[in-house]
Amino acid sequence: MHGLLITLLILSSPASAKVAALLSNNSVAPDQPVRLTLQMEGEDEMNPDLSELEARFDILGRSTQQSISIVNGKMSAKRSLALTLLPKQTGRIEIPPIRIGQESTQALVLEVAERSQEEKDAESKQVLLELSLSKPKAYIEEEVLLTLRLFQAPGIRAESLTEPQPSMPDTQLRLLHEESYQSERDGINYLVVERTYALFAYQSGTLEIGGVKYRGRSGNDRIFSFLNDPFNSSQPEIRQFRSESNRVELEVVPIPQNFTGDRWLPAKNLQVVESGLAQQSAIIAGKPVVRRIMVFADGLTANQLPALEQTMPEGLKLYQERPQLKETPARTGISSSRQSGMTLIATEPGRYDLPEVEIPWWNIETDRQEVARLEAVTIEVVPNPGGASDPQPQPPQYTPEQTIRDDNETIASSDQAAANGSRGETHWLVWLFGAAWVVTLFGWWYTRRSETARPRQVEPAEVDKTAVDPGKQAIAEALARLEAAYADQDAVSARAAWLHWAQLQWPDNPPHNLTRLATRCDNAVSQAVLSLERAIYSPLDEPGWAEFEVRLLIEQTSGEKRAEKPTDGLVPLNP
């Protein structure tokens, strides 16, 4: 009974995995690869531990295979992992047991043949790696050219080439140029791959650079074709080549004490130029003028170039643009530029002195300090030609008293003329008519005197309510244009509409730019005007300028002013 239970337990438990390791060859040359195949039977995952194997070999490639077979209703699975290995040393190399799951493979031994000194010398000429520096000593942050040359004999192809490894942290390497060409040396026509790097060290001391490793091969294009048919005698020999570059040293010295600049700039050449102001025939107050200052340098990156800080005189506004950085890598080094654009707006006409621009830098070719200078500039700002218009003559205004006085003078003149005429007549009819005229004149005078004694009430002229005030109509049209510009988010049209509205508000002395207009308006309207000005001239985005309800702000301001104006009325009885 107990034997039956043990048999059932054995049959019900999963079969233990079987693992094995196989070598394609037991002995190889030092530059020839070998194939190691790991096999496993069972359903477990194949995750071998290759840490000890990698210490003795370079793993050039790997491939996996899996097969499933069913025999008499029983399923079996086989997995294999093929590794292509290149020995790191010669002599007897032991391949340790490799653990796969709960099992381990058997240990294997590989013999790597030794080569004669002549063979070693011949192989050393097949692949050459050379590192060189443009100078053995440099300042901190100075550009130094590092050149890597790879020489490959005919029939050899590169598989991998690592980058140079500096010994100091914070050392920057940038690939500038790469080219291939043919070169003959010691009777061998090499294919040369040349790389030029820009090196920037940020710590003083001795900097070592090396560690460039190469791996290549010779033979058939299909590197592992011999593994597919190892018994084919026509299969060419596959050989692996490895090489490592020499090491170079650079002495990095600190910044010289006699340098007086705020920012350390070691370069071959540095210049500063400007454009924009010289092309302006006339600078008008309130209108923007663009000035561009560009800094050029050889041997510096664009991030090393300094930002220009300028202090503008009073009455001159400055709006900085985002700088434009540019780098041009070449075989001889890096050339860079930094363009700073700025918009200048003079709020008042007059004479403005722009300060000079000075950039101290260190000339690494002459080993002394120099100064790149942009001379001070004086600009003349003329008034805006759209000045105030001449006031039109007003028609004379007449008061009721002046009208009465003129009428009396006219009547007196008529009386005098009538009197003079009566003196010349001698006919009695003339005397009769003259007497009647005198009586009539006396009656008219008496009636006139009575009307003058009573207070005269002047009837106010009836206002034609259907007529439209031309000034109010122009302001309404200006507000409509202003609203349309804000609705379309057209900043240029909005600026023109604001200035047109301002000309209607202050016809004798209208403001000719938004800055002056803002000073004449109340706080709410001023904020809307200044927001529009920033949207037009400032390099920063001002997306909210079109969100102001300009008509509502203007009408509220006008209503508040009317409410504050005192009204004419009777003096209260009980003050």
Side-chain angles (χ1 to χ4, degrees), residues 285-299:
K287 292 191 176 181
V289 177
V290 178
R291 185 189 191 191
R292 302 191 184 280
I293 299 178
M294 184 174 291
V295 181
F296 299 92
D298 295 329

Side-chain angles (χ1 to χ4, degrees), residues 256-317:
Q257 296 182 355
N258 57 343
F259 180 72
T260 60
D262 295 332
R263 184 164 184 174
W264 171 242
L265 299 172
K268 301 175 185 176
N269 176 43
L270 194 145
Q271 298 180 10
V272 55
V273 297
E274 74 161 329
S275 63
L277 291 181
Q279 288 75 18
Q280 297 290 332
S281 58
I283 300 177
I284 303 175
K287 292 191 176 181
V289 177
V290 178
R291 185 189 191 191
R292 302 191 184 280
I293 299 178
M294 184 174 291
V295 181
F296 299 92
D298 295 329
L300 293 175
T301 63
N303 292 328
Q304 290 178 282
L305 298 179
L308 300 179
E309 300 292 341
Q310 289 188 298
T311 302
M312 292 292 104
E314 185 177 357
L316 196 62
K317 291 187 176 182

Side-chain angles (χ1 to χ4, degrees), residues 2-19:
H2 291 286
L4 180 60
L5 291 175
I6 294 174
T7 303
L8 292 175
L9 290 173
I10 293 175
L11 293 176
S12 61
S13 63
S16 59
K18 297 180 180 180
V19 296

Side-chain angles (χ1 to χ4, degrees), residues 463-481:
V463 180
D464 186 4
K465 297 182 179 180
T466 61
V468 179
D469 187 356
K472 293 183 178 180
Q473 183 178 4
I475 292 177
E477 293 177 355
L479 289 179
R481 288 176 52 190

Side-chain angles (χ1 to χ4, degrees), residues 446-506:
Y446 183 83
T447 305
R448 185 77 174 178
R449 180 181 178 184
S450 301
E451 292 177 356
T452 306
R454 294 193 302 268
R456 185 175 181 179
Q457 296 181 357
V458 180
E459 294 293 335
E462 184 178 357
V463 180
D464 186 4
K465 297 182 179 180
T466 61
V468 179
D469 187 356
K472 293 183 178 180
Q473 183 178 4
I475 292 177
E477 293 177 355
L479 289 179
R481 288 176 52 190
L482 188 61
E483 278 189 317
Y486 270 71
D488 297 338
Q489 295 187 356
D490 187 350
V492 177
S493 299
R495 179 183 182 275
W498 271 117
L499 296 180
H500 178 63
W501 174 82
Q503 190 172 10
L504 297 175
Q505 293 291 328
W506 297 279

